[in-house]
Amino acid sequence: HIPGLSAAVVKGDQILWDGHYGSAHPSQASGPAVTNITVFEFASVSKTLIAMACMKMIDLGLLRPDDDANQFLPFELSNPHFPNAVITLSHLLTHTSSISDDAYYTIPGEQI
């Protein structure tokens, strides 16, 4: 009943190595094994990664904190309570956009 883990070594745009170990449900005696399509909900850890990537892009002059987030998205982002207000990258990074995500648990992937 070892908790699951997926790891990869990436260089440029190539995966040099990947491995998948343990159980997707370690509390179950015969839980499914972790595979290359197992979805891990790492929730708040992603915030740090995304914020660091945005700060690097800001340092390189590729982004500005007050940029409209919609110029980077393939869909329209708006707050139904304030439809004319611009939602900026800063709003998203600091959780001050006043929008909510009701679709969090509809992420596609292996059902476990």
Side-chain angles (χ1 to χ4, degrees):
H1 308 293
I2 299 171
L5 166 77
S6 281
V9 175
V10 179
K11 183 175 182 181
D13 63 353
Q14 300 220 324
I15 298 173
L16 302 178
W17 172 88
D18 67 294
H20 317 283
Y21 309 96
S23 173
H25 271 276
S27 61
Q28 296 177 355
S30 61
V34 171
T35 69
N36 65 333
I37 61 169
T38 301
V39 174
F40 288 90
E41 293 182 18
F42 55 95
S44 293
V45 174
S46 64
K47 295 174 191 172
T48 304
L49 177 65
I50 291 169
M52 292 296 295
C54 286
M55 293 307 298
K56 180 66 175 176
M57 292 176 77
I58 289 168
D59 284 347
L60 294 171
L62 301 172
L63 296 177
R64 293 177 308 141
D66 59 343
D67 282 342
D68 183 341
N70 282 307
Q71 69 184 19
F72 306 104
L73 299 173
F75 55 88
E76 184 69 24
L77 181 65
S78 68
N79 184 326
H81 302 290
F82 306 98
N84 297 321
V86 171
I87 297 176
T88 67
L89 296 178
S90 179
H91 289 138
L92 295 177
L93 290 169
T94 60
H95 299 271
T96 57
S97 68
S98 74
I99 59 173
S100 64
D101 180 8
D102 296 328
Y104 180 76
Y105 294 103
T106 62
I107 299 169
E110 179 180 350
Q111 294 297 314
I112 53 174

